Amino acid sequence: NVINVVATDKAGNSSNVERNITFIASKPAAPTANPEPGTYAGGVMVRLATTTPGAAIYYTTDGSEPTEGSTPYTDKITITSNTTIKAIAVKDGKKSDVATFEYAIGLPGPGDDALNQLANELVRVYSNMDDNDKRALETAKANINAPGLDWNQLLTTILNNLTDNAKNALGPDPCAQLRYFILEGLNIYYTPNTNVDQVAQQLKIFRSTYKPMITRVFDGGVTVEDIWNFILAVQNALPDQFTKQDLEDLLDKGFAIIEDRLQEWVNGAIDQTLNSPDYQIFKDKLADVGLTRDVLIQTKDNLFNAAEPDLLAVQAVVKGYVRSRVELGGKTTIEVNDTETYQLKAMGIDLAPLLNWYSSNNVVAKFTQGSTLKALAVGTTTITAYWEKGGMEKAWLARYVITSIAHQKATLSGKVVKEDKSPFGGVTVSLLGGEKEYQTTTDEKGNFFFHNLLRGTYRLTAFAPGHKKAEKEIVIVAEENILSDPIVLTATNKCDFDGSGTVDDEDLKLILQHYRLTASDPGWKSTFDVYLDNRIDILDMVIVGKNFGR
């Protein structure tokens, strides 16, 4: 470089001189790590950076010294065990000093219940998506990760309203820190992973990574768990936003109405959550740093528009969400020649009459009218309920496997006795198998009978208050089944109302349900009249209390 120096005096006389100056490039600045080295619960995502423009970063995690032949840094480094990162920055053949960052990984901290619940909810939605829906999510993920995306514009509402203290807590580049935080959360949301353990692990690493930042910004008043719980609460509030007309329109128009009504539903769920008593403190803490309801909603809209301008990913999520909350009303095991009419409730609304019904195997069972299925032969079939527009593969709302079994009935008989082998009358005997439950009572000779049973495996339970409940597995294979050995009920304590073998809290709950009843009242049960005065009062409670734990 040539520098021309000119000197001028007060009289205007001037002189100049030229000098050749050589600038020697210094070595690049050593990399820095975010978050800082330390101990993190469960795992941490580390980002490396250098202040030298255009410098490349290389790093190792095995303790060796990094060189230009080491792993090039391109994205965050996820660490799940004790790790030492060594890194250098390189530009124009010059290398920075080696930077060393040590991370210790401890056991996951408190709040795992919330994260596990959120992971289960996400997987529940993802599991109800078809391949087209999942591709829409992946496309949205690619959009939000696009290199040219202007995050200053996306986050302008937050950056303009965030308090100075909050910005300072974020560090020298608040936009970058917010971008990392939001982007990592969206990457989890837009990845249709159906492995609940993996999703839970991602959420826990996210929490561990951003816990220090959240603590600084909110001065300990808000945690990452609070934010996840808020997101989960908003999602749980969504059903309250749907009307019957909304659901009918969704089916009639193939979810095209989402473009018009999505913001109304989501914003309504946000308002419902923020205005609930459980989130008043959370709402106030957000407002203290400038994150008001309007700021959150405007930022949410900016991010949605950037990730999915065509709203296909949102449609996929809403479809998965609605499908995950569909409940089938009706038996999934039916006998040959029998019929079953199904209900299909989503958010408490029966959608069955609005849908088309399809059986994958009409030889086994076929729909005769609407949602009424008739079993024709032994076997299985998959029934699908779908709306008309879009075709069955893209427009299904629910799918279930139905088993058709042979029309066959059986009987079961047996006897219940006391410890002294005397007959035990009035004992409640129940059979539970599949979707069926049968119940009867022993006669004065202790005998019980069941008729019209389907063949299969059942759990038989015999129970009388004051006696330990007896349970055994029964396999019904013949037309007539007789238990060879009597069922013996062992006496425990007259206050052991549920037959658990011990007088405990459950027995207290049972007697409290009958408290103050007399023998002339509806619902009276002499079982709880342990004082034997035809009324259930404090005298009975005293006796139960004296026997508690026995």
Side-chain angles (χ1 to χ4, degrees), residues 329-368:
K331 297 181 294 186
T332 56
T333 300
I334 54 178
E335 294 182 7
V336 172
N337 294 324
D338 283 354
T339 61
E340 184 72 13
T341 299
Y342 295 101
Q343 295 80 46
L344 206 60
K345 290 189 176 181
M347 276 74 91
I349 300 171
D350 185 16
L351 302 175
L354 306 175
L355 297 164
N356 298 303
W357 292 80
Y358 171 80
S359 170
S360 65
N361 191 340
N362 283 326
V363 174
V364 171
K366 70 176 182 179
F367 286 97
T368 57

Side-chain angles (χ1 to χ4, degrees), residues 35-56:
E36 296 178 351
T39 299
Y40 293 84
V44 64
M45 292 178 286
V46 179
R47 283 185 166 82
L48 304 179
T50 176
T51 56
T52 301

Side-chain angles (χ1 to χ4, degrees), residues 134-154:
K134 292 176 181 177
R135 279 194 292 270
L137 255 68
E138 295 288 3
T139 298
K141 179 181 175 181
N143 290 340
I144 205 70
N145 283 279
L149 204 58
D150 187 351
W151 279 84
N152 281 292
Q153 180 63 34
L154 292 180

